[in-house]
Amino acid sequence: IQLLGSVMRHHYTLGLHASDLEILGVEHAASKAQGCVELFALHEKGAAEFLPPDETVRNHHLQHCRAKCGNSRDATGQPWMFFAVIAKKKTPHCACVGPEAKDSVINTFNCSAAGHAFIFPMPVPLLPNSPTVGGADPALRQASLLAQAQRSLADLYQGATVFTTMVFGHMAQYLPDFFRNLDRIAIRNVAVFALDESAESGCLAGRRTLRSKSRVVCLRGEERTALQKY
């Protein structure tokens, strides 16, 4: 997200759905605190690691620590299971915590004792049988953009580069020529981000005219956002 903000030529919002955030690992279905844990004791056992926050971070410490713990590994090279924010010398630090924390959870609403903090689960990859993966074609239009893209992978040549383009408004009139050129050039994989109804109709109609071995997926977006553009 920070990278997008630094390279965008125009003002766009990300416009991410909740399911998009979950796919990206920014949010998770079980993102609530899992309980209070005495982190200093876990650190002494090697089951937790403390990382200093970046000096530029003034707020959003939970999101920052989730990212930092995602880039870290425990002593055995495994991903951390939990993350937390803990005050050390009055400065917020990130705590990356292993599975041992599950046996040390204190069920309390007050976690203000020294060395204690609420722990949160790290995001986990979506499994192949996740409801966000797979699904019938009619459901794609109502799905988030990332969910559509994920479901469409099976329709593309595996391992081949995917050519992408974004279409909405007056640009839809050029889709017939676009598909004729696809037949001529025979690009293997193409993803068309159709951001309105006319673009979506033009993409679906053009796909039916293809005579080459090009494979095209038409992904419907509802907003002109940085996610679709970049």
PDB file of all heavy atoms in Angstrom, residues 49 51 64-73 79-80 82-84 94-97 122:
ATOM      1  N   GLU A  49       9.874 -12.740  20.557  1.00  0.00           N
ATOM      2  CA  GLU A  49      10.943 -11.832  20.142  1.00  0.00           C
ATOM      3  C   GLU A  49      10.415 -10.407  20.190  1.00  0.00           C
ATOM      4  O   GLU A  49       9.284 -10.139  19.772  1.00  0.00           O
ATOM      5  CB  GLU A  49      11.406 -12.169  18.718  1.00  0.00           C
ATOM      6  CG  GLU A  49      12.489 -11.242  18.189  1.00  0.00           C
ATOM      7  CD  GLU A  49      12.862 -11.551  16.746  1.00  0.00           C
ATOM      8  OE1 GLU A  49      12.031 -12.142  16.033  1.00  0.00           O
ATOM      9  OE2 GLU A  49      13.974 -11.181  16.334  1.00  0.00           O
ATOM     10  N   LEU A  51      10.808  -6.561  18.887  1.00  0.00           N
ATOM     11  CA  LEU A  51      11.372  -5.781  17.788  1.00  0.00           C
ATOM     12  C   LEU A  51      11.024  -4.315  17.989  1.00  0.00           C
ATOM     13  O   LEU A  51       9.860  -3.981  18.233  1.00  0.00           O
ATOM     14  CB  LEU A  51      10.800  -6.254  16.439  1.00  0.00           C
ATOM     15  CG  LEU A  51      11.034  -7.726  16.067  1.00  0.00           C
ATOM     16  CD1 LEU A  51      10.257  -8.054  14.795  1.00  0.00           C
ATOM     17  CD2 LEU A  51      12.510  -8.002  15.883  1.00  0.00           C
ATOM     18  N   HIS A  64       1.470  -2.226  12.117  1.00  0.00           N
ATOM     19  CA  HIS A  64       2.919  -2.171  11.908  1.00  0.00           C
ATOM     20  C   HIS A  64       3.594  -3.424  12.469  1.00  0.00           C
ATOM     21  O   HIS A  64       4.467  -4.032  11.821  1.00  0.00           O
ATOM     22  CB  HIS A  64       3.468  -0.915  12.586  1.00  0.00           C
ATOM     23  CG  HIS A  64       4.963  -0.807  12.546  1.00  0.00           C
ATOM     24  ND1 HIS A  64       5.666  -0.670  11.369  1.00  0.00           N
ATOM     25  CD2 HIS A  64       5.888  -0.829  13.538  1.00  0.00           C
ATOM     26  CE1 HIS A  64       6.956  -0.601  11.632  1.00  0.00           C
ATOM     27  NE2 HIS A  64       7.124  -0.698  12.937  1.00  0.00           N
ATOM     28  N   CYS A  65       3.179  -3.834  13.677  1.00  0.00           N
ATOM     29  CA  CYS A  65       3.803  -5.007  14.301  1.00  0.00           C
ATOM     30  C   CYS A  65       3.418  -6.292  13.580  1.00  0.00           C
ATOM     31  O   CYS A  65       4.222  -7.228  13.502  1.00  0.00           O
ATOM     32  CB  CYS A  65       3.408  -5.077  15.774  1.00  0.00           C
ATOM     33  SG  CYS A  65       4.189  -3.786  16.777  1.00  0.00           S
ATOM     34  N   ARG A  66       2.208  -6.345  13.046  1.00  0.00           N
ATOM     35  CA  ARG A  66       1.818  -7.524  12.273  1.00  0.00           C
ATOM     36  C   ARG A  66       2.732  -7.673  11.063  1.00  0.00           C
ATOM     37  O   ARG A  66       3.190  -8.778  10.737  1.00  0.00           O
ATOM     38  CB  ARG A  66       0.359  -7.391  11.841  1.00  0.00           C
ATOM     39  CG  ARG A  66      -0.137  -8.534  10.953  1.00  0.00           C
ATOM     40  CD  ARG A  66      -1.628  -8.450  10.756  1.00  0.00           C
ATOM     41  NE  ARG A  66      -2.040  -7.109  10.390  1.00  0.00           N
ATOM     42  CZ  ARG A  66      -3.291  -6.678  10.502  1.00  0.00           C
ATOM     43  NH1 ARG A  66      -4.220  -7.457  10.981  1.00  0.00           N
ATOM     44  NH2 ARG A  66      -3.599  -5.445  10.123  1.00  0.00           N
ATOM     45  N   ALA A  67       3.032  -6.564  10.398  1.00  0.00           N
ATOM     46  CA  ALA A  67       3.919  -6.610   9.235  1.00  0.00           C
ATOM     47  C   ALA A  67       5.337  -7.000   9.645  1.00  0.00           C
ATOM     48  O   ALA A  67       5.999  -7.803   8.973  1.00  0.00           O
ATOM     49  CB  ALA A  67       3.911  -5.260   8.527  1.00  0.00           C
ATOM     50  N   LYS A  68       5.838  -6.433  10.743  1.00  0.00           N
ATOM     51  CA  LYS A  68       7.205  -6.733  11.179  1.00  0.00           C
ATOM     52  C   LYS A  68       7.343  -8.204  11.568  1.00  0.00           C
ATOM     53  O   LYS A  68       8.343  -8.858  11.241  1.00  0.00           O
ATOM     54  CB  LYS A  68       7.593  -5.835  12.357  1.00  0.00           C
ATOM     55  CG  LYS A  68       7.726  -4.363  12.004  1.00  0.00           C
ATOM     56  CD  LYS A  68       8.622  -3.619  12.966  1.00  0.00           C
ATOM     57  CE  LYS A  68      10.076  -3.968  12.711  1.00  0.00           C
ATOM     58  NZ  LYS A  68      11.014  -2.966  13.268  1.00  0.00           N
ATOM     59  N   CYS A  69       6.340  -8.729  12.267  1.00  0.00           N
ATOM     60  CA  CYS A  69       6.403 -10.146  12.656  1.00  0.00           C
ATOM     61  C   CYS A  69       6.239 -11.055  11.446  1.00  0.00           C
ATOM     62  O   CYS A  69       6.763 -12.168  11.424  1.00  0.00           O
ATOM     63  CB  CYS A  69       5.331 -10.448  13.708  1.00  0.00           C
ATOM     64  SG  CYS A  69       5.670  -9.685  15.317  1.00  0.00           S
ATOM     65  N   GLY A  70       5.526 -10.574  10.429  1.00  0.00           N
ATOM     66  CA  GLY A  70       5.402 -11.363   9.203  1.00  0.00           C
ATOM     67  C   GLY A  70       6.720 -11.500   8.477  1.00  0.00           C
ATOM     68  O   GLY A  70       6.961 -12.477   7.764  1.00  0.00           O
ATOM     69  N   ASN A  71       7.623 -10.523   8.662  1.00  0.00           N
ATOM     70  CA  ASN A  71       8.947 -10.571   8.038  1.00  0.00           C
ATOM     71  C   ASN A  71       9.985 -11.251   8.915  1.00  0.00           C
ATOM     72  O   ASN A  71      11.158 -11.342   8.538  1.00  0.00           O
ATOM     73  CB  ASN A  71       9.421  -9.152   7.715  1.00  0.00           C
ATOM     74  CG  ASN A  71       8.674  -8.559   6.540  1.00  0.00           C
ATOM     75  OD1 ASN A  71       8.320  -9.269   5.612  1.00  0.00           O
ATOM     76  ND2 ASN A  71       8.423  -7.265   6.590  1.00  0.00           N
ATOM     77  N   SER A  72       9.572 -11.707  10.087  1.00  0.00           N
ATOM     78  CA  SER A  72      10.495 -12.344  11.029  1.00  0.00           C
ATOM     79  C   SER A  72      10.163 -13.826  11.151  1.00  0.00           C
ATOM     80  O   SER A  72       9.095 -14.277  10.747  1.00  0.00           O
ATOM     81  CB  SER A  72      10.383 -11.642  12.399  1.00  0.00           C
ATOM     82  OG  SER A  72      11.179 -12.296  13.359  1.00  0.00           O
ATOM     83  N   ARG A  73      11.097 -14.595  11.698  1.00  0.00           N
ATOM     84  CA  ARG A  73      10.894 -16.023  11.937  1.00  0.00           C
ATOM     85  C   ARG A  73      11.437 -16.371  13.316  1.00  0.00           C
ATOM     86  O   ARG A  73      12.296 -15.676  13.857  1.00  0.00           O
ATOM     87  CB  ARG A  73      11.614 -16.870  10.869  1.00  0.00           C
ATOM     88  CG  ARG A  73      11.039 -16.732   9.466  1.00  0.00           C
ATOM     89  CD  ARG A  73       9.649 -17.347   9.386  1.00  0.00           C
ATOM     90  NE  ARG A  73       9.100 -17.315   8.034  1.00  0.00           N
ATOM     91  CZ  ARG A  73       8.358 -16.336   7.559  1.00  0.00           C
ATOM     92  NH1 ARG A  73       8.104 -15.284   8.324  1.00  0.00           N
ATOM     93  NH2 ARG A  73       7.863 -16.383   6.336  1.00  0.00           N
ATOM     94  N   PRO A  79       7.238 -19.409  10.890  1.00  0.00           N
ATOM     95  CA  PRO A  79       6.534 -18.133  11.084  1.00  0.00           C
ATOM     96  C   PRO A  79       5.995 -18.032  12.510  1.00  0.00           C
ATOM     97  O   PRO A  79       5.665 -19.041  13.137  1.00  0.00           O
ATOM     98  CB  PRO A  79       5.379 -18.200  10.071  1.00  0.00           C
ATOM     99  CG  PRO A  79       5.759 -19.272   9.107  1.00  0.00           C
ATOM    100  CD  PRO A  79       6.597 -20.252   9.863  1.00  0.00           C
ATOM    101  N   TRP A  80       5.914 -16.803  12.994  1.00  0.00           N
ATOM    102  CA  TRP A  80       5.316 -16.582  14.303  1.00  0.00           C
ATOM    103  C   TRP A  80       3.814 -16.797  14.238  1.00  0.00           C
ATOM    104  O   TRP A  80       3.187 -16.511  13.223  1.00  0.00           O
ATOM    105  CB  TRP A  80       5.610 -15.167  14.786  1.00  0.00           C
ATOM    106  CG  TRP A  80       7.059 -14.890  15.006  1.00  0.00           C
ATOM    107  CD1 TRP A  80       7.889 -14.164  14.197  1.00  0.00           C
ATOM    108  CD2 TRP A  80       7.867 -15.325  16.106  1.00  0.00           C
ATOM    109  NE1 TRP A  80       9.160 -14.129  14.721  1.00  0.00           N
ATOM    110  CE2 TRP A  80       9.174 -14.828  15.903  1.00  0.00           C
ATOM    111  CE3 TRP A  80       7.614 -16.084  17.256  1.00  0.00           C
ATOM    112  CZ2 TRP A  80      10.217 -15.058  16.787  1.00  0.00           C
ATOM    113  CZ3 TRP A  80       8.657 -16.319  18.144  1.00  0.00           C
ATOM    114  CH2 TRP A  80       9.942 -15.814  17.916  1.00  0.00           C
ATOM    115  N   PHE A  82       1.611 -15.492  16.677  1.00  0.00           N
ATOM    116  CA  PHE A  82       0.903 -14.333  17.215  1.00  0.00           C
ATOM    117  C   PHE A  82       1.789 -13.087  17.144  1.00  0.00           C
ATOM    118  O   PHE A  82       3.003 -13.185  16.975  1.00  0.00           O
ATOM    119  CB  PHE A  82       0.507 -14.560  18.688  1.00  0.00           C
ATOM    120  CG  PHE A  82      -0.343 -15.784  18.914  1.00  0.00           C
ATOM    121  CD1 PHE A  82       0.230 -16.962  19.374  1.00  0.00           C
ATOM    122  CD2 PHE A  82      -1.706 -15.756  18.678  1.00  0.00           C
ATOM    123  CE1 PHE A  82      -0.545 -18.094  19.582  1.00  0.00           C
ATOM    124  CE2 PHE A  82      -2.494 -16.878  18.891  1.00  0.00           C
ATOM    125  CZ  PHE A  82      -1.912 -18.051  19.344  1.00  0.00           C
ATOM    126  N   PHE A  83       1.163 -11.938  17.294  1.00  0.00           N
ATOM    127  CA  PHE A  83       1.905 -10.685  17.418  1.00  0.00           C
ATOM    128  C   PHE A  83       1.220  -9.830  18.472  1.00  0.00           C
ATOM    129  O   PHE A  83       0.054 -10.042  18.825  1.00  0.00           O
ATOM    130  CB  PHE A  83       1.981  -9.950  16.082  1.00  0.00           C
ATOM    131  CG  PHE A  83       0.660  -9.379  15.617  1.00  0.00           C
ATOM    132  CD1 PHE A  83       0.324  -8.051  15.872  1.00  0.00           C
ATOM    133  CD2 PHE A  83      -0.249 -10.173  14.931  1.00  0.00           C
ATOM    134  CE1 PHE A  83      -0.884  -7.531  15.450  1.00  0.00           C
ATOM    135  CE2 PHE A  83      -1.468  -9.656  14.513  1.00  0.00           C
ATOM    136  CZ  PHE A  83      -1.785  -8.329  14.766  1.00  0.00           C
ATOM    137  N   ALA A  84       1.954  -8.856  18.983  1.00  0.00           N
ATOM    138  CA  ALA A  84       1.414  -7.977  20.016  1.00  0.00           C
ATOM    139  C   ALA A  84       2.188  -6.675  20.020  1.00  0.00           C
ATOM    140  O   ALA A  84       3.253  -6.561  19.405  1.00  0.00           O
ATOM    141  CB  ALA A  84       1.496  -8.659  21.386  1.00  0.00           C
ATOM    142  N   CYS A  94       7.233  -4.122  19.189  1.00  0.00           N
ATOM    143  CA  CYS A  94       6.503  -5.251  18.610  1.00  0.00           C
ATOM    144  C   CYS A  94       6.958  -6.541  19.274  1.00  0.00           C
ATOM    145  O   CYS A  94       8.161  -6.737  19.497  1.00  0.00           O
ATOM    146  CB  CYS A  94       6.758  -5.341  17.103  1.00  0.00           C
ATOM    147  SG  CYS A  94       6.228  -3.877  16.191  1.00  0.00           S
ATOM    148  N   ALA A  95       6.008  -7.396  19.561  1.00  0.00           N
ATOM    149  CA  ALA A  95       6.319  -8.715  20.111  1.00  0.00           C
ATOM    150  C   ALA A  95       5.811  -9.778  19.148  1.00  0.00           C
ATOM    151  O   ALA A  95       4.626  -9.799  18.805  1.00  0.00           O
ATOM    152  CB  ALA A  95       5.679  -8.889  21.486  1.00  0.00           C
ATOM    153  N   CYS A  96       6.703 -10.625  18.682  1.00  0.00           N
ATOM    154  CA  CYS A  96       6.345 -11.757  17.820  1.00  0.00           C
ATOM    155  C   CYS A  96       6.365 -13.003  18.702  1.00  0.00           C
ATOM    156  O   CYS A  96       7.355 -13.264  19.380  1.00  0.00           O
ATOM    157  CB  CYS A  96       7.341 -11.897  16.672  1.00  0.00           C
ATOM    158  SG  CYS A  96       7.661 -10.346  15.792  1.00  0.00           S
ATOM    159  N   VAL A  97       5.288 -13.757  18.680  1.00  0.00           N
ATOM    160  CA  VAL A  97       5.084 -14.786  19.697  1.00  0.00           C
ATOM    161  C   VAL A  97       4.798 -16.135  19.040  1.00  0.00           C
ATOM    162  O   VAL A  97       4.082 -16.222  18.035  1.00  0.00           O
ATOM    163  CB  VAL A  97       3.926 -14.404  20.637  1.00  0.00           C
ATOM    164  CG1 VAL A  97       3.863 -15.344  21.835  1.00  0.00           C
ATOM    165  CG2 VAL A  97       4.068 -12.959  21.113  1.00  0.00           C
ATOM    166  N   MET A 122      -1.502 -14.120  13.769  1.00  0.00           N
ATOM    167  CA  MET A 122      -0.938 -13.702  12.492  1.00  0.00           C
ATOM    168  C   MET A 122      -1.829 -14.210  11.360  1.00  0.00           C
ATOM    169  O   MET A 122      -2.459 -15.271  11.479  1.00  0.00           O
ATOM    170  CB  MET A 122       0.470 -14.279  12.326  1.00  0.00           C
ATOM    171  CG  MET A 122       1.512 -13.648  13.222  1.00  0.00           C
ATOM    172  SD  MET A 122       1.837 -11.919  12.783  1.00  0.00           S
ATOM    173  CE  MET A 122       2.587 -12.106  11.161  1.00  0.00           C
TER     174      MET A 122
END
